[in-house]
Amino acid sequence: TKVRKDGTCKLLCKVSIDTKSAPININAFVDPSLWNPETKRANGRSENARTVNLAIEKLTENILEKRAGSTRRTAAEKTLKNDLQECRR
């Protein structure tokens, strides 16, 4: 990911369904020094960390809410849920 002039990088979430994957732009930019690859979250309580972590939460909730309305759970939906949970970590 390219570093912008302000020192931040665009944050993307990768979602896979039936072996096809696509990045989802969550319109958030993170200071690379705050990013924790193990937790897949920004560390700290800075404004940037809070903004990034909130954007991740909102995306995850939005996708899971849309899937919760479906009574038929396909393998693709289970994969999506697992990928999103991985994205939250």
Side-chain angles (χ1 to χ4, degrees):
T1 304
K2 294 182 181 180
V3 178
R4 300 179 343 154
K5 290 181 182 179
D6 66 358
T8 61
C9 297
K10 183 182 272 191
L11 186 64
L12 297 173
C13 182
K14 181 179 169 184
V15 177
S16 300
I17 299 176
D18 291 336
T19 70
K20 294 181 182 181
S21 63
I24 296 177
N25 181 358
I26 63 173
N27 297 319
F29 296 88
V30 63
D31 178 340
S33 68
L34 298 176
W35 187 249
N36 183 333
E38 291 178 14
T39 62
K40 296 179 176 56
R41 297 283 190 180
N43 288 332
R45 295 183 180 207
S46 67
E47 181 179 345
N48 184 232
R50 289 191 314 262
T51 300
V52 165
N53 293 335
L54 182 61
I56 293 169
E57 283 295 322
K58 285 184 177 181
L59 173 67
T60 302
E61 289 174 9
N62 186 14
I63 291 173
L64 292 177
E65 283 176 7
K66 289 180 181 180
R67 294 293 180 201
S70 174
T71 57
R72 187 173 154 250
R73 300 265 314 187
T74 65
E77 290 172 338
K78 290 177 185 176
T79 301
L80 175 61
K81 183 176 179 180
N82 291 338
D83 287 349
L84 287 173
Q85 288 173 342
E86 182 67 26
C87 183
R88 290 179 82 180
R89 295 181 189 153

